[in-house]
Amino acid sequence: MKKIFRKFSTILLIFLSGVMFSQNKISAFEIKNGSFLLHGKPFTIHSGEMHYPRVPKEYWKHRLQMMKAMGLNTVTTYVFWNYHEESPGQWNFSGEKDLKKFIKTAQEVGLYVIIRPGPYVCAEWEFGGYPWWLQKNRNLEIRTDNKAFLDECEKYIIQLTKQIVPLQIDRGGPVIMVQAENEFGSYVEQRKEISLQAHRRYSHKIKDMLLKHGITVPLFTSDGSSLFKGGSIEGALPTANGESDIDVLKKSINEYHNGKGPYMVAEYYPGWLDHWAEPFVKVKTEDVVKQSEIYIKNNISFNYYMIHGGTNFAFTSGANYDKDHDIQPDLTSYDYDAPINEAGWATPKYTALRSVFQKLNNNKLPEIPQPIKVITIPEFKISKTAPLFDVIKGRKPVVNNQPLSFEDLNLGSGYVLYRRKFDQNQKGTLEIKGLRDYAVVYINEKKMGELNRIDKKYDLDIEIRKGDRLDILVENMGRINYGSEINHNIKGIISPVKINENEVSENWEMFTLPFDRFPDYDYKLKNIPQNSPVIQEAEFNLTETGDTFLDTRDFGKGIVFINGKNIGRYWKIGPQQTLYVPGVWLKKGKNVIQIFEQLNPNTTIKTIDHPILEQLVGLGGM
């Protein structure tokens, strides 16, 4: 009996010891007593933002090492829903899209990770991260307490959490915080027709989904300091984007976080975003250094948005909207005037900030990684050119009485050629008020003019004769990613085409041109009409590889593929006049360049060893 008692006592003691240990166990990362605590000790977040989809996967480690060498301790990234759900229900987290690999690489480098998964992200990214096909469901309304929308959000959050839950810091990974929604306060402010209570029901449901599916690290929100009423979420730390005044920062966070910190600026802007047809925005190095020192002196956690911007490859760039422009499409380059430039080079801003952070470190910071080698490719000629009108011959069009939108044609990005033949003369003003976003108009394959949303040019004078064929080549230049206009993101021609106020209906033919891959075509030598849209191809040989910059100053408007990868959009109006070509997408020996040129075919390909991002020509130069 005594043996049984002793055995029972031993088991009880072990059990009670375990209970006491679990009660006293220090969380790996937590918010406690107004501070961030890392393994029980106060921790100040010095973070830089970098989005893995904007950087080739082979360069992730280099860019992360650049951050570490600057003195940062954390990397922050958005996760773009539409980048991973490639079509409804088809998810991809492999290769370039391997989020787990990005997070693990950050840990290898010695950086903690903050995840900003949205579902809405803004980020100057197509549709703010939402899949375009959400708009096909007429019962769905984004960013609201709407069952159809929330059902889709939960599908995304389930897939997302599979990637990040195992890599949270309490499971041995580097993920220390996760954001719930994004900049929701500004959206609440713009959509006052919806009650604050309804807005908050939605944002809190997003938080609940994250918790339900395994997020255990602290949650946070980010908004302008005056927008916490609509944007803050109970149980999540409010952080203030862009706030430079420490007193305002603390007062705002105190009001919505139990009267105490920690205090964090989730977005401090060392640069700014850029649009086609507008000057490239610069932020002075001395201003960035001064503000950084203020944050550091006052023990404020902060995140540089962006520390390294990268590139909006393919059709990933988004757009803004304001009263003067129906759309402000973002550049292919997401350089952002960031401390680490688009190609991963250390800028003077980087060097100055590194000196600031070195003062905080007792140990010498790591050496700055060497930049990726840069090459220039000897000038060469385009060898194959074909008119787009020939390329689509033989394709079966969609026929309808009115032009259909991209969405109705089941097309997310790229172009649609709208065509109609006339059986009687027409003369006057062609008007397309529902143009989304840019169009070139042709009669019998001869260019008549350009229309675009940027300067609200929706009409031009034309003369059509009986038997003539009208072609309207329409381009989606990126869905709006910020503000209430995000709800009006249908692309293509979305209202009747008119000539002299009369609707042009019946017998519209539509050819979809997604350019998800470059079209196969049996090129034949022929004379190309001036100002004709064309596809072009050429081969070039390399004895070594490295980053380079395609000089597009002699081009018109279009997109470029290198070895099958869409490296982005160019447009002669600027300010961007080069396209960044990552060296890891080139190879020794034969390489292939393919171009879709919408305006004026070019015959010569040139590269240079530096970017040109500040040469604005403007719409007047079109």
Side-chain angles (χ1 to χ4, degrees), residues 74 183 240 369 558:
T74 304
E183 298 177 321

Side-chain angles (χ1 to χ4, degrees), residues 30-78:
E30 61 183 329
I31 295 172
K32 190 174 182 180
N33 299 327
S35 298
F36 291 122
L37 298 181
L38 180 66
H39 305 302
K41 296 181 180 180
F43 181 72
T44 304
I45 296 169
H46 295 151
S47 173
E49 187 131 352
M50 163 188 163
H51 305 144
Y52 58 97
R54 287 174 157 142
V55 180
K57 67 179 186 300
E58 295 88 348
Y59 292 165
W60 291 346
K61 188 170 187 178
H62 176 266
R63 307 305 198 255
L64 293 166
Q65 288 173 329
M66 291 285 290
M67 295 181 207
K68 185 71 175 177
M70 199 184 95
L72 302 180
N73 56 32
T74 304
V75 59
T76 297
T77 185
Y78 276 128

Side-chain angles (χ1 to χ4, degrees), residues 98 192 247 314 422 545 573:
D98 192 340
K192 290 183 177 178
D247 291 336
F422 286 77
T545 61
I573 66 173

Side-chain angles (χ1 to χ4, degrees), residues 112-404:
Y112 296 102
V113 178
I114 294 173
I115 301 290
R116 308 179 72 190
Y120 164 77
V121 296
C122 186
E124 292 70 64
W125 187 267
E126 153 76 14
F127 202 11
Y130 292 131
W132 65 268
W133 59 81
L134 294 182
Q135 300 174 109
K136 291 174 66 68
N137 184 345
R138 304 303 185 195
N139 296 318
L140 186 151
E141 184 179 356
I142 63 173
R143 301 192 86 180
T144 59
D145 184 17
N146 169 276
K147 185 179 186 305
F149 176 58
L150 287 167
D151 286 348
E152 294 298 324
C153 287
E154 186 154 26
K155 293 176 188 176
Y156 162 60
I157 287 172
I158 288 171
Q159 296 296 326
L160 166 84
T161 50
K162 287 178 182 178
Q163 308 301 313
I164 62 175
V165 163
L167 295 172
Q168 295 178 109
I169 193 167
D170 51 11
R171 299 195 182 196
V175 176
I176 58 173
M177 288 206 301
V178 173
Q179 185 177 333
E181 239 282 348
N182 183 49
E183 298 177 321
F184 192 56
S186 60
Y187 190 73
V188 171
E189 186 70 17
Q190 291 170 344
R191 298 210 64 192
K192 290 183 177 178
E193 72 274 14
I194 300 174
S195 71
L196 179 61
Q197 183 181 17
H199 278 303
R200 292 181 66 79
R201 276 201 309 269
Y202 156 70
S203 60
H204 283 67
K205 286 179 179 180
I206 294 297
K207 179 203 76 172
D208 292 343
M209 285 181 195
L210 291 166
L211 295 175
K212 173 185 174 182
H213 294 291
I215 298 302
T216 52
V217 296
L219 297 175
F220 72 102
T221 60
S222 64
D223 290 282
S225 56
S226 63
L227 300 169
F228 285 1
K229 183 176 182 180
S232 61
I233 296 175
E234 293 171 18
L237 173 71
T239 67
N241 288 355
E243 184 56 68
S244 58
D245 188 310
I246 303 303
D247 291 336
V248 172
L249 174 70
K250 289 184 176 181
K251 181 180 179 181
S252 301
I253 292 176
N254 286 343
E255 184 177 353
Y256 291 89
H257 196 248
N258 304 318
K260 55 188 175 182
Y263 305 109
M264 182 170 179
V265 176
E267 293 187 5
Y268 168 58
Y269 309 109
W272 195 245
L273 60 97
D274 299 285
H275 301 130
W276 293 107
E278 297 177 17
F280 185 87
V281 181
K282 305 277 280 187
V283 176
K284 293 180 180 178
T285 295
E286 52 266 37
D287 293 344
V288 178
V289 168
K290 181 180 179 181
Q291 188 61 48
S292 299
E293 290 175 332
I294 291 172
Y295 290 146
I296 291 167
K297 178 182 177 182
N298 288 276
N299 199 33
I300 304 298
S301 291
F302 60 96
N303 171 52
Y304 291 111
Y305 188 101
M306 301 290 295
I307 195 67
H308 172 53
T311 308
N312 294 316
F313 296 113
F315 299 117
T316 58
S317 58
N320 282 96
Y321 176 94
D322 69 14
K323 60 183 177 61
D324 296 320
H325 308 279
D326 282 350
I327 198 169
Q328 296 170 288
D330 297 310
L331 302 183
T332 297
S333 172
Y334 200 59
D335 179 90
Y336 215 85
D337 192 34
I340 305 168
N341 81 353
E342 181 181 10
W345 304 347
T347 65
K349 196 176 291 180
Y350 175 97
T351 306
L353 289 172
R354 187 170 187 267
S355 297
V356 171
F357 286 102
Q358 181 61 79
K359 295 173 186 176
L360 301 179
N361 286 268
N362 295 325
N363 299 320
K364 185 179 179 183
L365 292 174
E367 292 297 320
I368 301 173
Q370 290 296 310
I372 306 299
K373 181 173 63 176
V374 175
I375 64 170
T376 55
I377 302 168
E379 184 178 309
F380 61 96
K381 296 289 186 181
I382 290 289
S383 55
K384 300 174 181 178
T385 300
L388 183 69
F389 300 117
D390 285 3
V391 175
I392 65 172
K393 282 180 180 176
R395 293 191 187 182
K396 187 177 180 180
V398 175
V399 180
N400 196 62
N401 284 337
Q402 291 286 354
L404 296 172

Side-chain angles (χ1 to χ4, degrees), residues 466-537:
K466 182 179 179 180
D468 283 352
R469 189 183 78 198
L470 173 69
D471 284 310
I472 307 169
L473 180 61
V474 175
E475 176 184 6
N476 166 11
M477 291 202 67
R479 288 181 178 82
I480 292 167
N481 56 258
Y482 178 78
S484 59
E485 284 298 312
I486 197 172
N487 290 282
H488 306 126
N489 256 324
I490 302 298
K491 294 297 184 177
I493 296 178
I494 66 170
S495 69
V497 175
K498 296 182 179 181
I499 298 179
N500 291 336
E501 298 295 331
N502 298 313
E503 288 188 16
V504 180
S505 58
E506 300 183 355
N507 300 319
W508 280 98
E509 297 179 338
M510 285 149 280
F511 298 85
T512 58
L513 302 160
F515 278 94
D516 49 351
R517 62 182 181 84
F518 205 81
D520 294 325
Y521 188 71
D522 184 15
Y523 292 89
K524 297 177 177 63
L525 289 173
K526 62 183 296 181
N527 292 324
I528 304 299
Q530 188 177 11
N531 298 323
S532 172
V534 296
I535 61 170
Q536 299 180 297
E537 187 174 309

